[in-house]
Amino acid sequence: MMRNGLVPARFLAICAQFVYTIVLYLSMNCNVLSCLPKTRTGVYDGSFGSGCQPPDSLSPHYGSFSSHKTELTVALSVSLALLAFELVGLLGGISTFLPYQGLISTGCHIAGSICIVLYRFDSWCSTDYWFIFGFCCATPFLTECLAWFGVLGMKKSL
């Protein structure tokens, strides 16, 4: 009997990126503040333990802050939905033993987990998350959709 170590690695990679995305969702203010102009004082000084307090509603940067926060909230919400879809496909047995899907998904989600950790701790700008989303979340989602189409639509084992 052949053992496949890719299935548990894929499960752990998807779960890790799912958890890191939730953590990023709960602490997104630092990343949103890193997009604002550096001329502000008293809100964000660039150091890690600064508290990352958002500007008050009277600040001239509040509109920019809220638009960047909305953008990051949408990106993280869509990421969580795509990760949940992939987890359903894995746990439902639709794409569990497809080797290429497992390899693509595992590689992308491990890279995505590492990028999200760097994104959070280095306080990258909120617009930079779209690159992580595109390469590490949307790519495995598209291959998962192809696997679903091949298994359920074509009634084939890929």
Side-chain angles (χ1 to χ4, degrees):
M1 172 180 228
M2 184 176 147
R3 293 189 160 210
N4 190 355
L6 205 54
V7 175
R10 181 178 169 204
F11 175 75
L12 290 175
I14 292 173
C15 287
Q17 189 172 0
F18 195 82
V19 168
Y20 292 150
T21 304
I22 291 172
V23 169
L24 183 60
Y25 183 79
L26 295 174
S27 63
M28 71 173 96
N29 282 345
C30 289
N31 297 98
V32 174
L33 287 171
S34 68
C35 291
L36 299 180
K38 301 295 185 203
T39 58
R40 298 181 306 111
T41 58
V43 177
Y44 178 64
D45 61 359
S47 62
F48 177 64
S50 65
C52 299
Q53 297 298 321
D56 58 351
S57 60
L58 299 177
S59 171
H61 300 291
Y62 183 74
S64 179
F65 175 82
S66 63
S67 68
H68 282 291
K69 187 169 183 173
T70 302
E71 177 185 1
L72 188 58
T73 302
V74 167
L76 292 172
S77 300
V78 172
S79 294
L80 288 173
L82 299 184
L83 289 166
F85 179 80
E86 255 194 280
L87 207 53
V88 166
L90 176 67
L91 296 177
I94 297 171
S95 64
T96 303
F97 297 109
L98 300 176
Y100 293 115
Q101 170 60 23
L103 188 63
I104 291 170
S105 180
T106 303
C108 287
H109 290 306
I110 288 173
S113 297
I114 293 168
C115 287
I116 288 174
V117 169
L118 290 174
Y119 177 85
R120 171 62 186 103
F121 288 128
D122 288 345
S123 292
W124 294 350
C125 183
S126 63
T127 56
D128 294 337
Y129 184 78
W130 289 108
F131 293 107
I132 299 172
F133 172 80
F135 291 114
C136 302
C137 202
T139 302
F141 171 74
L142 292 175
T143 58
E144 182 77 19
C145 287
L146 289 175
W148 278 55
F149 176 71
V151 171
L152 298 177
M154 305 291 281
K155 302 285 187 211
K156 291 183 180 179
S157 173
L158 301 175

